[in-house]
């Protein structure tokens, strides 16, 4: 038998983990990859001008990152389990920084889309490793605080990224946003080398290559069909067939996973109502959130004609209320229970988006702020309990799987939100843009994007502004409706009783340990201890 050592001997063989520094470094890496989802939105008008990108290409420049990010999260989480979360952080930050370094050297929108896709590969390795490092290395009594900080950074980084980009664009061009990514990735890389301990499973599952191909292909086909819908038409056979094919591939992934001993994600996890509610809630929250940022940045700069910095600062009320709301959420949950604050947060998200959907060409900034405040409070209140519910639903050995599911819900929601709300905006703009008496080649150019319409100028600009507002109304009302659906689903799911014994046929011991409940829900996955070392 292998020699064993007492815990004291093992702990003395390596330096003690400095949890505060680990939290700082992982949150810096997290902030970099989350901010990259939103930061480039501020530069869209400049990118459209310099690269002559169409409205559909602008959607792809933003969503190529989100799509690859979301599609690879599950396999990336498994790789972190198998080869170590610290290694995943190091490789991911390197890829993220390298792709960011290449992007400033192109003016071709298609090449820029490719660079953003490679950034998504790096981000997919980074994000699940950050949360699973916290939940896998922090003592249980410190885990809730760590997760709370993580959730606040994950929620606030999107707004911080917009603010930083606004400052950069005040003095430099859109390429500076990518240079900033390089700097942050380099700092996080050094911090990971110095302070983050390695952690992985002693008995990691095999990488499910077939499952990875199915989920990546399904999400790619689905999002591609949605983004291209305004060009080909929502009722076109190409659009409907693509959406159907994507859904079939995702369903195939679920069916394949049910037969695997070591799946990327066991669908039986969703028998746990809290896990199901949390996953859906996060996806729908960020569907509205990232879709809103994509739409709103164009409104502020193209319709209100704010500078990049002013447009970024315009989001400050949301950031100011979001972070303290996220910190307050655990106290509200402890006092009032999990369902009330959680559902209230989702309703506030819907109220904020519905308010912003009433904007016109001449709306004062006070009207914008009136929508941003409930949106920020709602995001802060709803995100923390949802994140905690996912991580607490799994035993320690499966924390990377839980982290990947949390991140998948977030990034998939963001990718779909940008795709769907961006497509609704584009469709509304194209369908409502009437240009009688304008030569057809000029009219077609104006329909490709609002930026092109403003470049043409003359009698094209006013109809284009009105058409853009029509598209904005439809997009933001759609986001509000999605948030309300999330509130109803969470309310219903959290009202359902659940016992592990119902899923497994094992005796119900009455334990309140969420890890024990999850072990029953994922009976096809052996529970193994984690190892933590330098």
């Amino acid at each position: 038998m292998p020699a064993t050592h007492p815990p004291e001997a093992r702990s003395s063989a390596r330096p003690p983990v400095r949890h505060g520094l680990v939290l700082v470094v992982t949150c810096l890496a997290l902030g970099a990859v989350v901010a990259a989802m939103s930061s480039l939105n501020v530069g869209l008008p400049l990118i459209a001008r310099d690269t002559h990108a169409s409205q559909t290409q602008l959607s792809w420049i933003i969503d190529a990152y989100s799509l690859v990010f979301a599609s690879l999260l599950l396999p990336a989480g498994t790789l972190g389990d198998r080869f170590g979360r610290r290694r995943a952080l190091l490789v991911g930050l390197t890829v993220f920084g390298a792709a960011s370094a290449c992007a400033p050297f192109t003016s071709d929108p298609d090449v820029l889309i490719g660079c953003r896709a490679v950034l998504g590969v790096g981000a997919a390795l980074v994000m699940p490793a950050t949360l699973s490092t916290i939940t896998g290395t922090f003592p249980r009594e410190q885990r809730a605080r760590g997760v709370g900080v993580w959730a606040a950074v994950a929620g606030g980084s999107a707004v911080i990224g917009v603010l930083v980009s606004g400052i950069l664009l005040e003095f430099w061009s859109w390429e500076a946003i990518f240079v900033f990514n390089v700097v942050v990735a380099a700092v996080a890389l050094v911090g990971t080398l110095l302070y983050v301990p390695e952690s992985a499973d002693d008995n990691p599952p095999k990488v499910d290559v077939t499952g990875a191909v199915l989920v990546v292909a399904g999400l790619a086909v689905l999002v591609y069909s949605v983004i291209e819908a305004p060009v080909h038409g929502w009722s076109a056979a190409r659009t409907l067939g693509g959406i159907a094919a994507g859904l079939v591939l995702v369903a195939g992934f679920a069916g394949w996973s049910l037969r695997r001993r070591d799946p990327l994600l066991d669908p039986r996890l969703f028998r746990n109502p809290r896990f199901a509610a949390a996953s859906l809630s996060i996806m729908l929250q960020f569907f509205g959130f990232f879709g809103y940022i994509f739409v709103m940045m164009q409104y502020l700069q193209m319709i209100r004609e704010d500078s990049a910095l002013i447009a970024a600062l315009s989001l400050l009320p949301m950031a100011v209320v979001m972070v303290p709301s996220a910190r307050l959420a655990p106290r509200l949950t402890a006092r009032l229970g999990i369902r009330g604050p959680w559902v209230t947060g989702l309703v506030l998200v819907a109220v904020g988006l519905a308010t912003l959907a009433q904007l016109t060409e001449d709306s004062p900034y006070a009207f914008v702020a009136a929508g941003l405040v409930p949106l920020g409070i709602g995001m802060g209140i709803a995100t923390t309990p949802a994140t905690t519910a996912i991580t607490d639903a799994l035993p320690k050995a499966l924390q990377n799987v839980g982290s990947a599911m949390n991140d998948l819900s977030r990034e998939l929601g963001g990718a779909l939100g940008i795709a769907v709300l961006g497509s609704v905006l584009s469709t509304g703009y194209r369908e409502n843009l009437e240009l009688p008496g304008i030569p057809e080649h000029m009219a077609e150019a104006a329909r490709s994007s609002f930026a092109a319409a403003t470049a043409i100028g003359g009698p094209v600009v006013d109809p284009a502004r009105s058409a853009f507002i029509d598209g904005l109304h439809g997009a933001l009302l759609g986001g509000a409706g999605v948030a309300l659906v999330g509130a109803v689903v969470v309310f219903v799911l959290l009202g359902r009783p659940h016992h592990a014994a119902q899923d497994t046929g094992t005796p119900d011991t009455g334990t309140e340990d969420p890890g024990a409940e999850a072990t029953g829900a994922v009976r096809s996955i052996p529970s193994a201890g984690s190892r933590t070392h330098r």
Side-chain angles (χ1 to χ4, degrees), residues 288 292 295-296 299-300 304 317-318 346-378 469 472-481 483-484:
Y292 142 79
V295 172
M296 200 65 180
Y299 167 80
L300 291 171
R304 288 178 57 89
M318 181 172 61
L346 289 168
V347 171
L348 286 172
V349 170
V351 169
L353 291 173
T355 301
L356 292 168
Q358 310 308 312
L359 289 169
T360 66
E361 298 176 39
D362 303 317
S363 295
Y365 175 72
F367 200 103
V368 177
L372 294 178
V373 170
L375 177 59
I377 294 174
I469 290 295
L472 177 143
H473 289 165
L476 295 183
L477 282 175
L484 276 180

Side-chain angles (χ1 to χ4, degrees), residues 239-384:
T239 301
L240 296 177
I243 292 173
L247 293 175
V248 168
L249 286 168
V250 172
F253 165 72
W256 169 263
S257 298
L258 285 170
R259 296 193 299 271
R260 287 276 301 181
R261 175 176 173 78
D262 298 312
L264 288 176
L265 177 68
D266 192 333
R268 284 176 285 264
L269 283 168
F270 293 94
R271 291 177 177 175
N272 183 320
R274 287 197 176 192
F275 184 89
S279 301
L280 184 63
S281 173
I282 290 174
M283 185 178 72
L284 297 185
Q285 287 171 235
F286 285 89
F287 177 100
F289 182 69
F290 281 108
Y292 142 79
I293 290 180
F294 177 76
V295 172
M296 200 65 180
M297 280 295 103
Q298 296 180 71
Y299 167 80
L300 291 171
Q301 294 181 77
M302 295 179 177
I303 301 299
R304 288 178 57 89
E305 298 182 351
D306 293 338
S307 68
L309 179 58
I310 295 301
L313 289 174
S314 296
L315 301 187
L316 198 56
M318 181 172 61
V320 167
V321 298
M322 184 185 297
V323 174
S325 297
R327 299 294 299 272
L328 180 63
R331 299 179 187 175
L332 293 175
T333 299
R335 177 173 297 183
L336 305 174
I338 194 171
R339 184 161 68 164
W342 191 343
V343 171
T344 299
L346 289 168
V347 171
L348 286 172
V349 170
V351 169
L353 291 173
T355 301
L356 292 168
Q358 310 308 312
L359 289 169
T360 66
E361 298 176 39
D362 303 317
S363 295
Y365 175 72
F367 200 103
V368 177
L372 294 178
V373 170
L375 177 59
I377 294 174
M379 288 295 298
I381 292 176
T383 300
T384 301

